[in-house]
Amino acid sequence: MADLILMFFIIFLISLNVIFFTWSNKEELNLMVSGLILMALAPFVNFAVRTALLHFVDWSPEDTREGAGYSAAILALLTFINGVLLLMIGLHRWLSAFSKKKLNV
């Protein structure tokens, strides 16, 4: 079940990236805003994935259940880094458009 939760999250993150890039190409949402949304979403991802993984863990006495916390932290870090990358790509696009506009004037 844990593999299913992790695969669902990866598919969700990839679909969010595709949606953000299509909205950026249609000029409905800036990539910098998309990056900030993903960065703000990281703590919620950590909580949701940790809760879901702890719900399906085997509650044996010798199990420390550290894997659920580690995997949730890694997925939240992945979401945060993805948001930072989108923010940097959006900033680069904005600066290049601004410099082109300034050179043409």
Side-chain angles (χ1 to χ4, degrees), residues 26 80 86:
K26 293 180 183 179
F80 186 80
L86 281 179

Side-chain angles (χ1 to χ4, degrees), residues 32-85:
M32 290 189 291
V33 176
S34 302
L36 291 174
I37 290 171
L38 277 177
M39 289 167 61
L41 192 66
F44 299 110
V45 166
N46 187 11
F47 177 74
V49 171
R50 184 185 310 152
T51 304
L53 289 174
L54 282 176
H55 180 72
F56 293 110
V57 76
D58 182 27
W59 289 92
S60 60
E62 63 273 354
D63 189 17
T64 59
R65 295 168 290 282
E66 291 174 349
Y70 287 147
S71 62
I74 288 171
L75 289 177
L77 185 63
L78 178 72
T79 305
F80 186 80
I81 290 172
N82 193 2
V84 169
L85 286 175

Side-chain angles (χ1 to χ4, degrees), residues 92-104:
H92 181 266
R93 280 186 177 181
W94 181 75
L95 286 175
S96 64
F98 182 72
S99 66
K100 284 180 186 177
K101 185 186 284 187
K102 191 169 185 171
L103 289 176
N104 289 338

